[in-house]
Amino acid sequence: MKKGAQQRGRRVPFVGFELDARRAVRLRTAEALQTGRTPLTLIAVAEDAAQLTEELTRQAIRADPPQPSACREGCDWCCHLTVGTSAPEVARIVQYLSEMLSPQELAAFRERVIRLDEERRKLPVARRDKAGLPCPLLVNHRCTAYAVRPLTCRGFNSADADACERFVKSPGNTALPLNATQLRLTTFALDGLAAGLTESGLKGDRLELTAALRIAMEVPDAVERFLAGEPSFAAATLR
Ligand code: SF4
């Protein structure tokens, strides 16, 4: 089951607000890529999209406070769902890990990515989203890349951790009490990021996080080839 795939019907007060988020991220992405096409530009694009979306989310929450959030450090049910992401976000995560982890930790991460990607690929496509496999960035119930986590993860939220557990263990049978505004803002921002990439002549496909991390770790020039317009992350396209 993909993150945010199912939600209980809460009203959405900021209809149109998420379109502003999409537009802003699209324009800023395309503008940044006009000024340069280096891995650092791509990382900056992901950082800018995350910062903008966080700010808009804060504004939305201030204007219309949702139910109290049950999300806490150490609660990781949503880290067992499929995460849709983008090439800039993947480049940012890998760069962050290369700075933050020791060579041993980086090697362990690489092994985890490969093992989990293999496990996922062994499953029929229709069952992958419901397999409950952990994210390779999850260690001891914590995200090792929390500061640079994808927009999808930033959007996921819940007012009931027990419902999240039921949702992961028995997908399709549980509705989640989500803050729909937060979820929609990040979803639209990710879409704007994809649109900005496409307008710049790059591949804007939604990527599955584990597979995309594997490509970024195993193919040394994957990001440079992506920036040259090649489909270097095609094998990670989310279906
Ligand atoms: S990137 Fe971090 S927050 Fe997102 S699913 Fe993975 S471990 Fe969880």
Side-chain angles (χ1 to χ4, degrees), residues 2-239:
K2 293 182 183 64
K3 276 190 172 187
Q6 196 176 14
Q7 59 187 276
R8 191 179 293 162
R10 267 176 56 72
R11 70 198 178 90
V12 182
F14 279 89
V15 173
F17 203 58
E18 63 271 39
L19 292 176
D20 292 342
R22 184 189 186 280
R23 183 170 182 276
V25 172
R26 175 176 68 78
L27 292 174
R28 287 159 71 141
T29 297
E31 196 178 285
L33 288 166
Q34 272 176 8
T35 63
R37 295 215 173 184
T38 67
L40 286 179
T41 320
L42 207 61
I43 290 164
V45 157
E47 188 176 343
D48 186 52
Q51 282 176 356
L52 179 75
T53 309
E54 292 280 348
E55 177 51 35
L56 290 172
T57 302
R58 276 193 291 275
Q59 286 178 27
I61 287 175
R62 264 201 308 272
D64 184 41
Q67 297 180 64
S69 173
C71 298
R72 299 282 180 271
E73 190 177 351
C75 179
D76 62 3
W77 292 114
C78 67
C79 300
H80 293 73
L81 303 175
T82 296
V83 175
T85 187
S86 61
E89 292 182 306
V90 172
R92 187 180 182 213
I93 291 171
V94 171
Q95 193 235 17
Y96 175 85
L97 294 178
S98 69
E99 288 174 358
M100 303 301 286
L101 300 186
S102 68
Q104 292 81 3
E105 289 170 328
L106 209 52
F109 169 66
R110 185 187 163 109
E111 275 177 29
R112 223 165 33 245
V113 168
I114 293 170
R115 176 174 53 78
L116 286 164
D117 186 48
E118 295 290 336
E119 276 186 48
R120 187 178 166 86
R121 285 180 191 282
K122 273 185 211 150
L123 297 169
V125 174
R127 282 190 46 215
R128 290 179 187 170
D129 287 348
K130 298 175 183 164
L133 290 172
C135 174
L137 291 160
L138 194 62
V139 177
N140 295 330
H141 303 283
R142 280 162 180 75
C143 176
T144 47
Y146 188 77
V148 295
R149 67 199 185 285
L151 286 163
T152 299
C153 305
R154 291 170 195 272
F156 198 81
N157 66 90
S158 171
D160 183 350
D162 291 337
C164 294
E165 180 178 359
R166 290 195 299 277
F167 185 75
V168 171
K169 290 183 173 172
S170 183
N173 298 326
T174 306
L176 290 177
L178 298 174
N179 174 355
T181 301
Q182 182 176 336
L183 179 66
R184 285 170 66 87
L185 270 172
T186 52
T187 303
F188 276 66
L190 182 57
D191 198 47
L193 192 50
L197 293 173
T198 305
E199 280 179 24
S200 306
L202 304 178
K203 307 289 175 197
D205 299 325
R206 187 79 51 99
L207 307 176
E208 190 277 313
L209 180 61
T210 302
L213 285 170
R214 180 174 182 177
I215 292 170
M217 299 289 292
E218 286 198 317
V219 182
D221 60 351
V223 171
E224 286 79 1
R225 285 172 48 199
F226 174 83
L227 284 164
E230 290 184 38
S232 53
F233 286 96
T237 302
L238 193 54
R239 300 184 199 290

